Amino acid sequence: MNIKLLDILVCPQCKGRLTQVESGQSFLCNQCHLKYPVRDGIPVMLLEEALDMKSGLLEETQMLSAKQMPSPPKPRAAGGKTVVFEVTDGPDTGLRFDLSLGTCRAMGRAVGDPNKTNILNVDWALSLDEETKGLVLQYISQQFRRPSTSTSTSKPQASGASLGSFRRSQDLILKDQTLSRLHAMIFYDTVGVGILDLVSKNGTFVNGEEVESRLLKEGDTIELGETKISFVG
């Protein structure tokens, strides 16, 4: 490129000096961030032909960020027949249990010898008084908005083993003596997986935040007393 031509070339937008880039195939205005092409050895100094480098860099950055940043997790909807939980801290560490679609489980503290407790193989082990039943049914009607009759296709259980639209599954009895006898209840419905605190003494926490009720996401950690339970999904 002729040196004299380089001296007289300026950006048509800001009249600033240009820098030769890409082995002489383009001219760049560092002030406007516009790049002008060179075609057949002739600089094309037209704004409509210029490439906005600032805009291009922004778009590239946004595309890169979109690829690197994962989408936020969503509440678990009915993608399968069961979901899985695992106790990750507390006396029952390592215990895994599941929850079937259309069912709920109460979680609470064992009474008596803690070494003889586990998931009890009975219809239910924790009795619900009328006040607690009312709290559960109110939560179901507000969160899941389902009719009071069960829609599950699973085999029916003993009479009385249902709460609203949910069948009550085997309760989870834990060895953690800091739990309330009846601490919380979990639900699995087409809307998602939910947890409800049953007015426990020490509260129910999800990811460190105390909650009265919450729809859970895969990877969430439930804290009940000294027990931590991970929602595996």
Side-chain angles (χ1 to χ4, degrees):
M1 184 70 66
N2 189 293
I3 299 299
K4 291 183 179 180
L5 180 60
L6 290 175
D7 289 338
I8 64 174
L9 279 177
V10 295
C11 173
Q13 179 164 278
C14 69
K15 310 305 179 186
R17 295 292 299 274
L18 300 173
T19 302
Q20 198 171 9
V21 295
E22 297 178 346
S23 301
Q25 297 303 308
S26 303
F27 285 92
L28 177 66
C29 175
N30 292 313
Q31 184 172 338
C32 298
H33 301 285
L34 295 176
K35 185 170 70 173
Y36 299 92
V38 175
R39 295 177 185 152
D40 298 326
I42 301 172
V44 182
M45 308 306 297
L46 299 173
L47 288 175
E48 57 267 27
E49 294 289 337
L51 175 63
D52 189 341
M53 299 298 293
K54 191 173 183 180
S55 175
L57 180 60
L58 178 61
E59 290 179 1
E60 183 178 350
T61 302
Q62 290 174 336
M63 291 177 63
L64 181 61
S65 298
K67 291 180 180 179
Q68 292 178 342
M69 295 179 62
S71 300
K74 298 180 180 179
R76 176 63 178 259
K81 295 296 183 182
T82 60
V83 290
V84 177
F85 297 83
E86 181 175 0
V87 179
T88 58
D89 198 6
D92 296 274
T93 298
L95 174 68
R96 290 172 70 94
F97 61 96
D98 59 29
L99 188 65
S100 299
L101 183 65
T103 67
C104 60
R105 278 185 189 270
M107 299 187 290
R109 169 176 55 85
V111 175
D113 184 356
N115 296 318
K116 295 181 180 179
T117 60
N118 208 316
I119 298 179
L120 302 187
N121 294 317
V122 294
D123 287 339
W124 65 87
L126 302 174
S127 60
L128 303 181
D129 57 31
E130 292 304 314
E131 183 178 354
T132 304
K133 285 182 181 179
L135 175 66
V136 172
L137 293 174
Q138 181 181 14
Y139 169 71
I140 291 172
S141 66
Q142 291 177 348
Q143 181 63 70
F144 297 99
R145 302 186 184 282
R146 293 282 300 278
S148 60
T149 56
S150 176
T151 58
S152 174
T153 57
S154 300
K155 294 181 179 179
Q157 296 190 12
S159 176
S162 64
L163 283 169
S165 58
F166 291 87
R167 288 182 303 102
R168 190 170 172 193
S169 188
Q170 300 166 1
D171 289 341
L172 182 68
I173 313 298
L174 299 167
K175 302 172 187 176
D176 186 349
Q177 295 300 298
T178 65
L179 300 183
S180 295
R181 174 67 176 137
L182 188 62
H183 198 105
M185 185 169 282
I186 51 176
F187 305 80
Y188 182 23
D189 183 81
T190 54
V191 172
V193 178
I195 185 167
L196 172 68
D197 179 74
L198 298 178
V199 198
S200 62
K201 181 178 179 180
N202 295 321
T204 297
F205 297 77
V206 175
N207 300 328
E209 178 185 354
E210 187 171 11
V211 300
E212 292 183 356
S213 64
R214 176 70 60 87
L215 279 180
L216 301 174
K217 304 181 294 294
E218 291 184 22
D220 278 352
T221 297
I222 303 167
E223 297 178 52
L224 313 170
E226 296 177 355
T227 297
K228 291 184 179 180
I229 302 173
S230 176
F231 176 28
V232 178

